[in-house]
Amino acid sequence: MIKKEKPIFVTQPNLPPIDELTPYLRKIWDNKILTNGGPLHQELESELCKYLGVEHISLFNNGTIALITALQALKISGQVITTPYSFVATSHALKWVGAEPIFVDIDPNTLNIDPNKIEAAITPETTAILAVHCYGHMCDVDKIEKIANSYGLKVIYDAAHAFGVNCHCGSILNHGDLSVLSFHATKVFNTFEGGAIVCKDLKTKKHIDNLKNFGYLTDAEVVTFGINGKMSEVSAAMGLLQLRSIDQLLESRGKVDQHYRTKLSNIKGIKCVDGAGESKFNYAYFPILVTEDYPLTRDELFDKLKSYNVIARRYFWPLISDFMIYRNYPSATKENLPVANKTSNQIICLPIYPDLSLDNVDYIADIIRG
Ligand code: T4K
């Protein structure tokens, strides 16, 4: 097989034709409002509520600041039960509000926090559960809600990967007290950098809006220790433009996903990660597990792909609990997290994005087939 001249990255942002951005930019230039909740920002909030099927959205400059603000809005402190199998921002957000992450193992099928292991980790200091819909696959929201209700805990979903994902009862973003999205360049829906908090009532939305604007209530009153989490008008313009074609983009991703599944279906030792039965999915990632039955280790396959200019990613390796700053936490031990450790050593996320050609999927599958 001949090595591709240009790298095939794990993802590539969708960029609409540049000319289509010009009218939005002209609006910004005309009205000279660049940020601080301008007209495009407001338009994007209301368009996203309609598209996603949620009550209220507050836009942010990135998903990490949105996560921190969500925790701040709910006054989270003490211990928070979370997953080690995520991007490091999930635990970092807890540290930024002075809470302690308590790592609980993941379910081997969904790769999300294992709800059956949550109760054993609850102590009198526990205030909340911060779960992640990893790769856009839904957590066991019903079990998590039940546990949270019986112990009086808040539930925050890190839904950074879960844009546009629905379950039997509509958007998965409607579960929990708050859900947080990321609109980073590498995400299904991007505003260059960006994020959002989804909430269910206007009072909470207003509180979050204050928090992301330094805590200002009026121009003369600061009522809380807020932050600058505002999304700029250029990012909002990018969002409005993306939203026009989001359904086609998701459809193209779905075709790539389906093609991978066909091509990889009978390769011994390669397991495609399945969803949790979502009624609408976003194909944000294409994770595979390289099991003991495959002739190469995960890292050998990762390097082999690289030698052919296929730049996959090991999301999520290392585990958050293995980073130097977290590894001494009592809950970070390998014995406490056997499934997360095993998964983290077997995972590769293969390239997936709307423009990825099916020929390139064939090329990647052929490398894996050997
Ligand atoms: N919670 C979860 C569960 C998350 O996954 C994330 C972010 C967050 C919270 C925090 O949300 P944000 O604060 O980021 O909004 C990336 C992203 O930076 C990060 O947003 C994302 N998760 C994480 C899973 O992946 P890297 O270090 O892998 O990105 P990078 O720069 O290596 O990009 C990957 C590939 O994408 C590159 O090989 C090429 C391509 N790429 C990347 C960028 C930035 C492009 O083609 N164009 C681009 O502009 O972290």
Side-chain angles (χ1 to χ4, degrees):
M1 212 179 333
I2 300 160
K3 179 182 170 180
K4 294 273 177 194
E5 262 179 45
K6 280 174 89 182
I8 307 174
F9 290 115
V10 67
T11 186
Q12 287 273 269
N14 172 259
L15 291 175
I18 200 159
D19 293 349
E20 291 182 18
L21 193 61
T22 315
Y24 290 96
L25 294 180
R26 195 155 287 130
K27 271 193 198 170
I28 298 172
W29 260 244
D30 284 348
N31 63 32
K32 296 189 168 45
I33 304 290
L34 310 187
T35 184
N36 287 10
L40 298 183
H41 173 284
Q42 285 180 25
E43 191 181 337
L44 182 59
E45 283 192 349
S46 82
E47 290 302 314
L48 281 174
C49 282
K50 278 187 238 157
Y51 179 78
L52 296 171
V54 301
E55 281 298 312
H56 299 283
I57 275 198
S58 182
L59 294 174
F60 275 78
N61 50 5
N62 64 60
T64 306
I65 295 289
L67 261 181
I68 294 169
T69 307
L71 297 167
Q72 208 189 350
L74 296 172
K75 297 192 169 45
I76 300 303
S77 61
Q79 298 182 346
V80 177
I81 288 172
T82 191
T83 170
Y85 192 77
S86 180
F87 191 57
V88 72
T90 310
S91 285
H92 277 3
L94 291 170
K95 293 298 294 178
W96 275 94
V97 297
E100 186 191 353
I102 303 293
F103 299 113
V104 163
D105 207 4
I106 56 170
D107 176 281
N109 296 313
T110 65
L111 308 185
N112 291 324
I113 195 164
D114 186 340
N116 298 319
K117 297 194 176 141
I118 290 178
E119 278 188 277
I122 295 175
T123 73
E125 316 299 319
T126 310
T127 60
I129 300 167
L130 172 57
V132 179
H133 299 299
C134 193
Y135 311 128
H137 294 150
M138 187 173 59
C139 291
D140 192 335
V141 289
D142 294 334
K143 273 196 189 155
I144 290 174
E145 188 179 327
K146 212 169 155 206
I147 297 167
N149 286 345
S150 48
Y151 290 87
L153 306 177
K154 300 281 186 203
V155 178
I156 304 97
Y157 284 109
D158 178 338
H161 303 173
F163 184 92
V165 177
N166 286 356
C167 61
H168 58 286
C169 57
S171 172
I172 65 169
L173 304 171
N174 288 322
H175 291 281
D177 292 280
L178 296 174
S179 289
V180 177
L181 289 158
S182 164
F183 304 150
H184 181 259
T186 55
K187 297 293 190 287
V188 163
F189 172 86
N190 91 80
T191 57
F192 291 12
E193 290 271 3
I197 301 179
V198 172
C199 64
K200 291 172 207 145
D201 63 277
L202 192 57
K203 193 170 163 224
T204 309
K205 148 94 173 137
K206 284 192 168 158
H207 180 44
I208 290 166
D209 286 348
N210 291 340
L211 280 170
K212 78 173 177 196
N213 188 27
F214 310 97
Y216 272 104
L217 191 59
T218 66
D219 63 354
E221 257 180 312
V222 170
V223 289
T224 179
F225 299 107
I227 200 161
N228 183 355
K230 293 171 274 104
M231 177 183 275
S232 80
E233 287 290 275
V234 172
S235 284
M238 181 68 181
L240 286 166
L241 191 50
Q242 289 245 326
L243 212 45
R244 287 197 200 163
S245 53
I246 190 70
D247 284 327
Q248 288 121 272
L249 298 174
L250 296 185
E251 201 182 310
S252 305
R253 283 177 174 274
K255 285 187 184 145
V256 172
D257 179 286
Q258 193 48 53
H259 201 62
Y260 267 130
R261 283 177 196 278
T262 309
K263 289 299 210 170
L264 299 175
S265 63
N266 55 359
I267 302 181
K268 200 169 171 225
I270 297 294
K271 188 176 176 297
C272 300
V273 177
D274 291 323
E278 295 81 10
S279 64
K280 181 182 164 211
F281 195 55
N282 66 7
Y283 313 101
Y285 296 85
F286 196 84
I288 58 166
L289 295 170
V290 185
T291 72
E292 301 83 356
D293 297 331
Y294 189 72
L296 303 179
T297 64
R298 185 276 307 274
D299 288 345
E300 285 166 348
L301 176 58
F302 177 79
D303 290 341
K304 184 178 172 191
L305 286 164
K306 206 188 232 173
S307 73
Y308 284 98
N309 234 347
V310 176
I311 316 299
R313 291 306 288 260
R314 286 164 287 193
Y315 298 133
F316 288 101
W317 172 90
L319 290 177
I320 299 177
S321 48
D322 281 342
F323 288 123
M324 191 183 61
I325 46 179
Y326 291 108
R327 74 169 67 120
N328 291 328
Y329 283 51
S331 60
T333 60
K334 297 218 179 322
E335 298 70 47
N336 189 42
L337 307 166
V339 182
N341 273 281
K342 186 173 178 195
T343 307
S344 180
N345 288 320
Q346 293 187 333
I347 199 76
I348 296 187
C349 285
L350 297 177
I352 186 164
Y353 45 92
D355 294 342
L356 183 66
S357 71
L358 299 187
D359 282 351
N360 276 341
V361 174
D362 289 342
Y363 173 75
I364 295 165
D366 287 346
I367 298 168
I368 297 172
R369 189 174 295 280

Short mmCIF file of all heavy atoms in Angstrom, two decimals, residues 67-81 93-94 96-100 125-130 152-156 177-178:
data_model
loop_
_atom_site.label_atom_id
_atom_site.label_comp_id
_atom_site.label_asym_id
_atom_site.label_seq_id
_atom_site.Cartn_x
_atom_site.Cartn_y
_atom_site.Cartn_z
N LEU A 67 -18.20 24.38 31.72
CA LEU A 67 -18.26 23.34 32.77
C LEU A 67 -18.03 23.96 34.15
O LEU A 67 -18.78 23.68 35.10
CB LEU A 67 -17.15 22.32 32.53
CG LEU A 67 -17.46 20.99 31.85
CD1 LEU A 67 -16.20 20.15 31.76
CD2 LEU A 67 -18.56 20.22 32.56
N ILE A 68 -17.00 24.78 34.24
CA ILE A 68 -16.68 25.42 35.53
C ILE A 68 -17.88 26.27 35.99
O ILE A 68 -18.28 26.23 37.16
CB ILE A 68 -15.40 26.29 35.40
CG1 ILE A 68 -14.18 25.40 35.13
CG2 ILE A 68 -15.18 27.15 36.65
CD1 ILE A 68 -12.93 26.15 34.72
N THR A 69 -18.46 27.00 35.05
CA THR A 69 -19.59 27.87 35.41
C THR A 69 -20.81 27.05 35.81
O THR A 69 -21.54 27.43 36.73
CB THR A 69 -19.92 28.82 34.23
OG1 THR A 69 -18.73 29.49 33.85
CG2 THR A 69 -20.98 29.83 34.60
N ALA A 70 -21.02 25.92 35.15
CA ALA A 70 -22.16 25.05 35.51
C ALA A 70 -22.00 24.58 36.96
O ALA A 70 -22.97 24.59 37.74
CB ALA A 70 -22.23 23.86 34.56
N LEU A 71 -20.79 24.20 37.32
CA LEU A 71 -20.54 23.72 38.69
C LEU A 71 -20.72 24.87 39.68
O LEU A 71 -21.29 24.70 40.76
CB LEU A 71 -19.13 23.14 38.80
CG LEU A 71 -18.86 21.91 37.93
CD1 LEU A 71 -17.37 21.60 37.86
CD2 LEU A 71 -19.62 20.69 38.46
N GLN A 72 -20.26 26.05 39.27
CA GLN A 72 -20.39 27.23 40.13
C GLN A 72 -21.87 27.60 40.31
O GLN A 72 -22.30 27.93 41.41
CB GLN A 72 -19.64 28.38 39.46
CG GLN A 72 -19.10 29.40 40.42
CD GLN A 72 -18.56 30.62 39.69
OE1 GLN A 72 -18.43 30.64 38.47
NE2 GLN A 72 -18.27 31.66 40.44
N ALA A 73 -22.63 27.50 39.22
CA ALA A 73 -24.06 27.85 39.28
C ALA A 73 -24.80 26.96 40.27
O ALA A 73 -25.75 27.39 40.91
CB ALA A 73 -24.67 27.74 37.89
N LEU A 74 -24.37 25.70 40.36
CA LEU A 74 -25.04 24.76 41.27
C LEU A 74 -24.39 24.74 42.65
O LEU A 74 -24.74 23.91 43.49
CB LEU A 74 -25.03 23.35 40.65
CG LEU A 74 -25.81 23.18 39.34
CD1 LEU A 74 -25.54 21.79 38.74
CD2 LEU A 74 -27.30 23.37 39.54
N LYS A 75 -23.39 25.61 42.84
CA LYS A 75 -22.66 25.71 44.12
C LYS A 75 -22.06 24.36 44.53
O LYS A 75 -22.22 23.91 45.68
CB LYS A 75 -23.58 26.24 45.23
CG LYS A 75 -24.09 27.65 44.99
CD LYS A 75 -24.75 28.19 46.25
CE LYS A 75 -25.06 29.66 46.22
NZ LYS A 75 -25.68 30.21 45.03
N ILE A 76 -21.43 23.71 43.58
CA ILE A 76 -20.85 22.39 43.86
C ILE A 76 -19.56 22.53 44.67
O ILE A 76 -18.70 23.35 44.36
CB ILE A 76 -20.56 21.64 42.52
CG1 ILE A 76 -21.84 21.45 41.71
CG2 ILE A 76 -19.85 20.32 42.79
CD1 ILE A 76 -22.95 20.71 42.40
N SER A 77 -19.45 21.71 45.72
CA SER A 77 -18.22 21.68 46.53
C SER A 77 -18.05 20.26 47.03
O SER A 77 -18.78 19.37 46.60
CB SER A 77 -18.37 22.65 47.71
OG SER A 77 -19.46 22.22 48.51
N GLY A 78 -17.12 20.04 47.92
CA GLY A 78 -16.94 18.70 48.52
C GLY A 78 -16.47 17.69 47.49
O GLY A 78 -15.62 17.99 46.65
N GLN A 79 -17.04 16.48 47.56
CA GLN A 79 -16.63 15.40 46.65
C GLN A 79 -17.64 15.25 45.51
O GLN A 79 -18.84 15.33 45.74
CB GLN A 79 -16.54 14.08 47.41
CG GLN A 79 -15.49 14.11 48.52
CD GLN A 79 -15.38 12.77 49.23
OE1 GLN A 79 -16.23 11.89 49.10
NE2 GLN A 79 -14.32 12.63 50.01
N VAL A 80 -17.11 15.02 44.33
CA VAL A 80 -17.98 14.81 43.17
C VAL A 80 -17.58 13.53 42.45
O VAL A 80 -16.40 13.33 42.10
CB VAL A 80 -17.90 16.02 42.19
CG1 VAL A 80 -18.74 15.76 40.96
CG2 VAL A 80 -18.36 17.30 42.89
N ILE A 81 -18.55 12.68 42.25
CA ILE A 81 -18.30 11.39 41.59
C ILE A 81 -18.21 11.61 40.08
O ILE A 81 -19.08 12.25 39.49
CB ILE A 81 -19.41 10.41 41.99
CG1 ILE A 81 -19.15 10.03 43.45
CG2 ILE A 81 -19.44 9.19 41.08
CD1 ILE A 81 -20.22 9.24 44.09
N ALA A 93 -12.27 20.96 35.76
CA ALA A 93 -13.38 21.88 36.09
C ALA A 93 -13.74 21.74 37.58
O ALA A 93 -14.01 22.74 38.26
CB ALA A 93 -14.59 21.58 35.21
N LEU A 94 -13.71 20.50 38.07
CA LEU A 94 -14.01 20.28 39.49
C LEU A 94 -12.97 20.96 40.37
O LEU A 94 -13.30 21.63 41.35
CB LEU A 94 -14.07 18.78 39.80
CG LEU A 94 -15.26 18.04 39.17
CD1 LEU A 94 -15.11 16.53 39.32
CD2 LEU A 94 -16.57 18.51 39.81
N TRP A 96 -11.21 23.50 39.65
CA TRP A 96 -11.35 24.96 39.57
C TRP A 96 -12.42 25.49 40.53
O TRP A 96 -12.37 26.65 40.92
CB TRP A 96 -11.64 25.41 38.13
CG TRP A 96 -10.38 25.58 37.34
CD1 TRP A 96 -9.79 24.66 36.53
CD2 TRP A 96 -9.53 26.74 37.30
NE1 TRP A 96 -8.63 25.15 35.99
CE2 TRP A 96 -8.46 26.44 36.44
CE3 TRP A 96 -9.58 27.99 37.89
CZ2 TRP A 96 -7.43 27.34 36.17
CZ3 TRP A 96 -8.56 28.91 37.62
CH2 TRP A 96 -7.51 28.58 36.76
N VAL A 97 -13.41 24.67 40.89
CA VAL A 97 -14.40 25.16 41.87
C VAL A 97 -14.09 24.63 43.27
O VAL A 97 -14.89 24.75 44.19
CB VAL A 97 -15.86 24.80 41.48
CG1 VAL A 97 -16.25 25.46 40.17
CG2 VAL A 97 -16.09 23.29 41.42
N GLY A 98 -12.92 24.02 43.43
CA GLY A 98 -12.50 23.56 44.75
C GLY A 98 -13.13 22.25 45.18
O GLY A 98 -13.12 21.91 46.36
N ALA A 99 -13.68 21.49 44.21
CA ALA A 99 -14.26 20.18 44.55
C ALA A 99 -13.24 19.07 44.28
O ALA A 99 -12.29 19.27 43.52
CB ALA A 99 -15.52 19.94 43.73
N GLU A 100 -13.45 17.92 44.90
CA GLU A 100 -12.52 16.80 44.73
C GLU A 100 -13.13 15.75 43.82
O GLU A 100 -14.21 15.21 44.13
CB GLU A 100 -12.21 16.18 46.10
CG GLU A 100 -11.14 15.11 46.01
CD GLU A 100 -11.01 14.28 47.29
OE1 GLU A 100 -11.66 14.63 48.30
OE2 GLU A 100 -10.27 13.28 47.25
N GLU A 125 -19.62 13.60 52.24
CA GLU A 125 -19.08 14.80 51.55
C GLU A 125 -19.56 14.91 50.10
O GLU A 125 -19.32 15.93 49.44
CB GLU A 125 -17.53 14.77 51.49
CG GLU A 125 -16.81 14.35 52.75
CD GLU A 125 -17.10 15.28 53.90
OE1 GLU A 125 -17.14 16.50 53.65
OE2 GLU A 125 -17.36 14.78 55.01
N THR A 126 -20.19 13.87 49.58
CA THR A 126 -20.56 13.88 48.16
C THR A 126 -21.68 14.88 47.90
O THR A 126 -22.69 14.87 48.60
CB THR A 126 -21.02 12.47 47.71
OG1 THR A 126 -20.04 11.52 48.14
CG2 THR A 126 -21.17 12.39 46.20
N THR A 127 -21.50 15.70 46.87
CA THR A 127 -22.54 16.69 46.53
C THR A 127 -23.13 16.48 45.15
O THR A 127 -24.21 16.98 44.86
CB THR A 127 -21.97 18.13 46.59
OG1 THR A 127 -20.90 18.21 45.63
CG2 THR A 127 -21.46 18.49 47.96
N ALA A 128 -22.37 15.78 44.28
CA ALA A 128 -22.84 15.72 42.89
C ALA A 128 -22.21 14.56 42.12
O ALA A 128 -21.25 13.94 42.57
CB ALA A 128 -22.49 17.03 42.18
N ILE A 129 -22.81 14.32 40.95
CA ILE A 129 -22.25 13.36 39.98
C ILE A 129 -21.97 14.15 38.71
O ILE A 129 -22.87 14.83 38.19
CB ILE A 129 -23.25 12.22 39.67
CG1 ILE A 129 -23.60 11.45 40.96
CG2 ILE A 129 -22.70 11.28 38.60
CD1 ILE A 129 -24.80 10.51 40.82
N LEU A 130 -20.72 14.08 38.24
CA LEU A 130 -20.37 14.71 36.96
C LEU A 130 -20.05 13.59 35.98
O LEU A 130 -18.98 12.97 36.04
CB LEU A 130 -19.15 15.64 37.14
CG LEU A 130 -18.54 16.22 35.86
CD1 LEU A 130 -19.55 17.00 35.03
CD2 LEU A 130 -17.36 17.15 36.21
N GLY A 152 -29.88 12.91 47.27
CA GLY A 152 -29.92 14.39 47.21
C GLY A 152 -28.70 14.99 46.53
O GLY A 152 -28.16 15.99 46.98
N LEU A 153 -28.27 14.36 45.43
CA LEU A 153 -27.09 14.87 44.71
C LEU A 153 -27.50 15.62 43.45
O LEU A 153 -28.52 15.30 42.84
CB LEU A 153 -26.18 13.68 44.30
CG LEU A 153 -25.75 12.73 45.41
CD1 LEU A 153 -24.92 11.58 44.82
CD2 LEU A 153 -24.95 13.47 46.47
N LYS A 154 -26.69 16.58 43.06
CA LYS A 154 -26.88 17.25 41.76
C LYS A 154 -26.26 16.37 40.67
O LYS A 154 -25.33 15.61 40.94
CB LYS A 154 -26.18 18.61 41.74
CG LYS A 154 -26.67 19.57 42.80
CD LYS A 154 -27.97 20.20 42.38
CE LYS A 154 -28.38 21.27 43.37
NZ LYS A 154 -29.81 21.52 43.33
N VAL A 155 -26.78 16.53 39.45
CA VAL A 155 -26.19 15.79 38.32
C VAL A 155 -25.84 16.79 37.21
O VAL A 155 -26.69 17.56 36.77
CB VAL A 155 -27.17 14.74 37.75
CG1 VAL A 155 -26.55 14.02 36.55
CG2 VAL A 155 -27.54 13.73 38.82
N ILE A 156 -24.57 16.74 36.82
CA ILE A 156 -24.12 17.58 35.70
C ILE A 156 -23.61 16.63 34.62
O ILE A 156 -22.81 15.73 34.91
CB ILE A 156 -22.95 18.51 36.12
CG1 ILE A 156 -23.36 19.36 37.32
CG2 ILE A 156 -22.52 19.42 34.95
CD1 ILE A 156 -22.90 18.82 38.63
N ASP A 177 -29.26 18.14 36.09
CA ASP A 177 -29.56 19.54 36.43
C ASP A 177 -29.08 20.47 35.33
O ASP A 177 -29.76 21.40 34.95
CB ASP A 177 -28.89 19.89 37.76
CG ASP A 177 -29.54 19.13 38.90
OD1 ASP A 177 -30.60 19.56 39.36
OD2 ASP A 177 -29.00 18.09 39.31
N LEU A 178 -27.87 20.20 34.83
CA LEU A 178 -27.32 21.01 33.73
C LEU A 178 -26.52 20.10 32.80
O LEU A 178 -25.93 19.11 33.24
CB LEU A 178 -26.37 22.08 34.28
CG LEU A 178 -26.98 23.17 35.18
CD1 LEU A 178 -25.87 24.05 35.75
CD2 LEU A 178 -28.00 24.01 34.44
#
